Each structure stands twice: as C-alpha cells, then as structure tokens.
Amino acid sequence: MKPVVILENVTKTYCDFWGRHRVTAVNDLSFEVNGGEIFGLLGPNGSGKTTSLKLMLGLVFPSGGKIWMFEKEPVNVGVKQKVGFLPEESYLYTFLTAEESLRFYANFFSISSKDREERIHSLLKLVGLEDTADRPVNEFSKGMARRLGLAQALINDPDLLLLDEPTSGLDPMGCHEVKSLILKLKEQGKTIILCSHLLADVEDVCDRIAILHKGTLQTVGTMEELLIMKDRLRITCRGLSEQAQAEVAACISGQGGEVICMEQERNRLEQLFISTIKNLSTSEDEETPEDTGRSSGDRNNAGRREA
C-alpha cells in the first residue's frame, strides 16, 4: 500500500539563545509508514520519539531532511484535517464536562451540528464514557481523562492517528479495551503511529516497529522479522507422560538437535486477569432479578425455610 508518511534523512537539532547547537534530538532519520498499518516507535527516554511525532505534526521544523504526509508537507492545512493526535499528557479544560470538551474540539473542524452531536455520542460510547458525559473533567480519574483524550483525537474522524503513550494511566481492563479499539480503527482503514514504553502493548497491536536510540534509527521491520528466532523451534503438545517427554528429547538429540527447554506452557498475566474479570462480569449479568433484589438476609432466611 502507498506510504502515508515518509521521513527522508530528517535531522532535528535544538539550539540555545545564541544559535549554538545544544542537542541533536533526531539524527538522519528515514522510514515510511504505509497506509492502514499500525507502526510502533520505540526507544528509551530521550531517544527522539516525541520529537519525531512533533515533526510529523508540524509543531517543530526539521533542521535537515524532508517529511511528507499524504504527499504534502506537515504544515499543509489539508494534511492537518486528516490527522488526529493524542499527546502523552491529555490537555483538557477541567471545568468542562466530557460532552462539552468534545463539542469544543469539534468546533475546530467543519462538522455540521447534526453530525457533530452524533459523533460526540458515538465517541463517548466507544471509549466507555457515555454514563459520565455530563460530569466535569476535574472529577475524572487519570484513566478516564485518558479515554476522553483518545475520543478528542478521533473527533475529526482522522485518516492518520498519532498516539503517544495511549494506555498511560489505564488499568489492565482499560489497556485491553484501548488495544482492541486500536485494532478496530485499523480494520476501518486508519493508519496509526504508536509510541509506548509498554512493550507488551506494542507487540499485541503493531504490524511494524522502529527502534530509536539517541535520535538514531537502530532497526525497523515487521514483528515477525524482528522477533522470530530462526534457529529455534518450539513444539506445543498435550498429554505426554514423563517417559514420552524423555523419548521426545532423546529423539531430538539423536537428530542432531539440542533440547534447550521443556516446560509447562504459561498463560500471560494480562490474559489471566482479563479472562477472570470477564467471567465475573458474565456471572453477574446472568444473576436473576429476584436474586439481585433480595437482601443477603432474605436469601439466608429463604435458605433456612427450604431446609
């Protein structure tokens, strides 16, 4: 698919008041982001991730090199209409309600009144804030504010979404829901550039990643290209006795292979947590109205009468 974002030998150097070079945040950076993919930007603090996002947004200008967004420069007004941005810290007016906040940001775009209201309500539902639409933002937890920030980034229905630490401040269920939302947005054809320190989140959703260090690109590629260990093969099976396991290990050794590890497969903690919470939620939904309406004392008395 045709690239949506192209960086060609981009360098960004910050200078002091006298114009002397102070630090090079991005150094000769080149990569492409294809349409419809989720692209992860990884790196330690100070590696140039946030500066790269600011360059793509046209908030700062490169000291060298070129940036193309939808075949135009980032400062083009038409380009900005197609881009949504979630910064690392959500900047929201705390005296406004969630609904008023989205209405405020919607006014920056050419959205009709009818479409604006429909979009506000659908976005609040999408991020799980439909029941708190009339609450002021200063009563929100950090996770709730993060969800509202994500809705704000989607208010103009952008083709390209830039997300800086999208799961910051969210509990495990919230992280799972945001990752599911990101995958859903990809299914809708949107292109997403994601910065995160949570590598498990990146691994779950990204198609390709780039790793930066001190402003320099270290590696770029698909998850499969970068994570698969071509000299190792893992076999997953069920129901083998200890004797059978020993025979399998002997067979592998007899064929010139080396048994590095043979152990019980483990679930990921995140998956265990999510499945546990979902099972509890399902059990609560299946509880009958009669049971829900009874007090614990009524249920105990009923139990004694039946006995």
Side-chain angles (χ1 to χ4, degrees):
M1 188 174 286
K2 199 171 186 178
V4 170
V5 179
I6 301 175
L7 277 71
E8 296 180 349
N9 308 112
V10 174
T11 296
K12 176 59 183 177
T13 301
Y14 289 103
C15 301
D16 62 15
F17 177 79
W18 306 105
R20 297 173 298 193
H21 287 189
R22 186 162 52 90
V23 62
T24 299
V26 173
N27 183 30
D28 197 29
L29 184 61
S30 297
F31 63 79
E32 297 181 355
V33 179
N34 299 318
E37 77 171 340
I38 303 176
F39 187 88
L41 271 180
L42 308 181
N45 291 333
S47 62
K49 303 188 304 297
T50 299
T51 297
S52 298
L53 290 184
K54 290 180 178 179
L55 287 164
M56 293 180 222
L57 290 165
L59 299 177
V60 297
F61 303 99
S63 306
K66 290 288 185 180
I67 302 175
W68 304 103
M69 311 265 290
F70 300 99
E71 301 182 335
K72 297 178 181 178
E73 295 185 349
V75 294
N76 184 279
V77 175
V79 168
K80 293 184 181 297
Q81 292 279 349
K82 298 179 179 180
V83 178
F85 175 50
L86 176 67
E88 185 174 0
E89 294 292 336
S90 300
Y91 299 99
L92 301 167
Y93 293 102
T94 56
F95 56 88
L96 296 177
T97 66
E99 192 173 41
E100 290 170 343
S101 297
L102 294 185
R103 190 174 293 117
F104 171 78
Y105 287 107
N107 289 331
F108 289 103
F109 302 94
S110 301
I111 307 174
S112 66
S113 298
K114 180 182 178 182
D115 292 341
R116 179 190 63 196
E117 296 306 312
E118 289 179 354
R119 183 144 190 82
I120 287 172
H121 294 149
S122 65
L123 285 174
L124 287 172
K125 183 177 181 180
L126 188 67
V127 299
L129 294 176
E130 68 271 26
D131 294 332
T132 55
D134 57 351
R135 283 179 58 185
V137 175
N138 60 11
E139 296 181 2
F140 279 15
S141 66
K142 184 176 180 180
M144 293 169 68
R146 201 66 184 150
R147 292 167 186 261
L148 183 58
L150 184 57
Q152 172 264 312
L154 292 166
I155 194 66
N156 59 321
D157 193 19
D159 296 321
L160 173 63
L161 198 57
L162 305 181
L163 306 177
D164 196 358
E165 303 291 343
T167 57
S168 174
L170 298 179
D171 59 24
M173 285 301 297
C175 290
H176 174 71
E177 290 167 1
V178 168
K179 288 187 289 187
S180 297
L181 174 57
I182 290 173
L183 292 173
K184 184 177 180 180
L185 293 171
K186 178 193 171 182
E187 291 175 0
Q188 296 175 4
K190 298 189 185 301
T191 305
I192 300 168
I193 299 178
L194 167 67
C195 288
S196 179
H197 289 101
L198 303 176
L199 301 186
D201 292 350
V202 174
E203 185 177 349
D204 286 340
V205 301
C206 287
D207 301 304
R208 291 194 303 138
I209 62 170
I211 299 178
L212 307 180
H213 182 60
K214 295 184 178 179
T216 303
L217 180 65
Q218 302 299 316
T219 186
V220 62
T222 66
M223 300 300 297
E224 185 174 355
E225 291 171 346
L226 299 178
L227 296 182
I228 282 185
M229 301 178 183
K230 296 182 179 180
D231 62 336
R232 296 191 182 189
L233 177 67
R234 181 167 62 186
I235 301 173
T236 302
C237 55
R238 178 185 295 154
L240 287 182
S241 64
E242 291 186 5
Q243 180 180 352
Q245 292 178 34
E247 291 176 358
V248 169
C251 180
I252 292 172
S253 300
Q255 295 296 322
E258 179 185 1
V259 179
I260 298 173
C261 180
M262 187 177 289
E263 61 183 5
Q264 293 296 121
E265 187 175 6
R266 287 166 54 101
N267 196 2
R268 293 176 60 184
L269 178 59
E270 179 185 6
Q271 292 302 319
L272 173 63
F273 182 91
I274 290 169
S275 63
T276 301
I277 297 300
K278 283 187 173 180
N279 289 337
L280 288 173
S281 300
T282 302
S283 300
E284 291 172 358
D285 292 340
E286 291 176 351
E287 187 177 356
T288 62
E290 290 78 7
D291 290 339
T292 305
R294 289 181 180 177
S295 67
S296 59
D298 292 338
R299 287 194 292 269
N300 291 336
N301 290 334
R304 286 194 291 270
R305 287 196 298 270
E306 289 170 0

